[in-house]
Every structure is written in structure tokens, then in C-alpha cells.
Amino acid sequence: DVKVTQSSRYLVKRTGEKVFLECVQDMDHENMFWYRQDPGLGLRLIYFSYDVKMKEKGDIPEGYSVSREKKERFSLILESASTNQTSMYLCASSTRARWRGGFTDTQYFGPGTRLTVL
Amino acid sequence: AQSVTQLGSHVSVSEGALVLLRCNYSSSVPPYLFWYVQYPNQGLQLLLKYTSAATLVKGINGFEAEFKKSETSFHLTKPSAHMSDAAEYFCAVSEGTNAGKSTFGDGTTLTVKP
């Protein structure tokens, strides 16, 4: 079974702190994703990576950065946490299944990190 | 550009009743379509996916979905709800871009009454 783990289930930080959220997958997946989930807003893509050291902005990258130094690990960084970044953060990974000239496949999710910024 | 609309943010059914969760998509190419389920305090997991083979797709836990191109819909159904089906359900669409991204709907919370 694919396993995606996230470093913390719950995290409480103070405004202005630098926050690291870690995600590790054990299935050699090329793609990794970071989402935030807020009530009524569904999942919104923050950043994704399709290879080591490669990253692309998603729909809401402001205030976030990412790092992917190894294939299995994808980190989300909040440079200076703010209260509006209080949310559930979900990491996911997928293969790059080739389909009609592009790539797509099932995403496998971690359990999430509920971050509270005070 | 791809997008998904889930009609109804909350659906409530009685145990044993039909479950119908609605999803409409927009895509400039024939899409890949997914339904994911999220149980309380957990991440999302795949229920089923459509990949342009059979239009009626069967998934886990007795769920199925039918792809209707003319209606741009991919509604999720289950003939008889069980208490354990109470969860949040997400529809997602992918156009198979180089990035392999999916776009998710806002989710539908299913409540099952005894």
C-alpha cells in the first residue's frame, strides 16, 4: 500500500514564526502536492512538484514556499506565519501515468496537519 | 481550463436510502474523473475513477458513478446508505496536463440518519 506520512497531526505556532511541514511518501512517486483545506472552500493547491528540485506554483502560493531535495520528501514552508494561514494542510503524491500525451493519476493523501497560528 | 461543481454542500439521507451526490465538470478535452472520500480526521482516499473505458464505474464500499458526456456529469450513487458512509466526498477532474494536476470540487458532506 502507498503510504504518505506528514510530520505532525496538530501544530500550534505564533504569528511571525517560520513553520516547516514535512511530507514523505514511500512509493517512489514522481509528483507531490501541497493543499490547504478550509470549510466550504474544498482543496486548494498551494504548490506541486513533478521531480526532485522542480516546483510549480499552484492556485494560492502567496506566503508559502516549498523544497524537494529528495524524491520521497516534499516540504512546505511558511516563512512568517500569519493567522490567516490557520488551516488543514494536506500532502499528496501520485505517479506520472502517461495519458493522451500528458500525465495524470490517482493522488494518495497523507492524514493532514491541522495548523493553528496564534 | 478544468473545473468541477458539486451541487449541494450537505446531503442527508436515512440509513438504507439511496445516496446521490452530484458532480458536474468542465473540461476542454475528454477528462479523467475521480471521486475521493474523506472520513473525519483523515486524508482523502480514492473511491473510484473514470479513465474513458466503461462509462459506469464501480468503486469501493458499494459506490458507483456514471460518466455522462452529454450532461458533463459524473454523479456518485450508492443504492443503500450505511452509517459508516458518513463522510465528506470530493469530485475531481484532470485534463492530463504535463503536471498531472487535478482540480477538486468544494466537497459534499454526507450525513446518514439512523
Side-chain angles (χ1 to χ4, degrees):
Chain A
D1 276 353
V2 175
K3 189 156 188 180
V4 179
T5 57
Q6 296 185 229
S7 50
S8 306
R9 291 300 302 272
Y10 299 92
L11 208 53
V12 179
K13 296 292 182 180
R14 298 216 173 267
T15 302
E17 280 193 77
K18 190 169 187 176
V19 181
F20 292 86
L21 302 182
E22 302 283 336
C23 175
V24 178
Q25 51 94 3
D26 66 357
M27 284 301 292
D28 203 35
H29 283 171
E30 294 86 353
N31 290 344
M32 295 189 75
F33 308 84
W34 274 108
Y35 298 91
R36 63 177 284 175
Q37 182 180 17
D38 300 288
L41 297 178
L43 272 68
R44 292 181 290 168
L45 182 64
I46 303 171
Y47 267 97
F48 67 96
S49 169
Y50 50 89
D51 203 349
V52 174
K53 297 190 185 298
M54 303 304 290
K55 60 186 179 185
E56 286 197 21
K57 294 179 180 179
D59 301 318
I60 52 164
E62 296 79 18
Y64 303 94
S65 62
V66 290
S67 173
R68 193 168 181 199
E69 297 297 319
K70 293 185 177 181
K71 190 175 186 180
E72 67 270 19
R73 188 180 298 270
F74 192 36
S75 303
L76 180 69
I77 303 156
L78 287 66
E79 295 289 343
S80 178
S82 64
T83 55
N84 63 12
Q85 293 179 309
T86 292
S87 186
M88 170 70 86
Y89 289 87
L90 293 169
C91 175
S93 71
S94 74
T95 62
R96 296 191 76 200
R98 186 167 279 281
W99 182 60
R100 293 207 316 261
F103 300 92
T104 190
D105 204 356
T106 302
Q107 292 187 23
Y108 295 85
F109 285 81
T113 295
R114 188 166 294 282
L115 173 67
T116 301
V117 182
L118 302 175
Chain B
Q2 59 196 34
S3 66
V4 169
T5 302
Q6 290 185 241
L7 300 173
S9 58
H10 291 85
V11 170
S12 180
V13 301
S14 297
E15 192 173 19
L18 171 72
V19 176
L20 171 61
L21 304 183
R22 300 178 188 273
C23 173
N24 287 89
Y25 69 91
S26 173
S27 175
S28 56
V29 299
Y32 237 15
L33 292 162
F34 305 83
W35 275 100
Y36 290 86
V37 60
Q38 184 180 32
Y39 298 105
N41 298 315
Q42 294 184 27
L44 281 69
Q45 62 185 81
L46 182 72
L47 265 182
L48 50 82
K49 66 181 178 183
Y50 167 75
T51 61
S52 77
T55 57
L56 183 62
V57 182
K58 295 188 184 298
I60 61 171
N61 302 336
F63 284 93
E64 62 182 35
E66 187 172 8
F67 173 70
K68 292 187 176 180
K69 183 178 178 181
S70 60
E71 299 177 7
T72 60
S73 69
F74 191 56
H75 301 330
L76 182 70
T77 61
K78 182 174 180 177
S80 177
H82 192 273
M83 298 295 290
S84 61
D85 294 327
E88 190 162 17
Y89 292 79
F90 292 90
C91 183
V93 62
S94 174
E95 291 183 339
T97 63
N98 283 336
K101 291 186 294 181
S102 291
T103 299
F104 288 80
D106 291 344
T108 298
T109 299
L110 176 66
T111 301
V112 182
K113 299 175 292 186

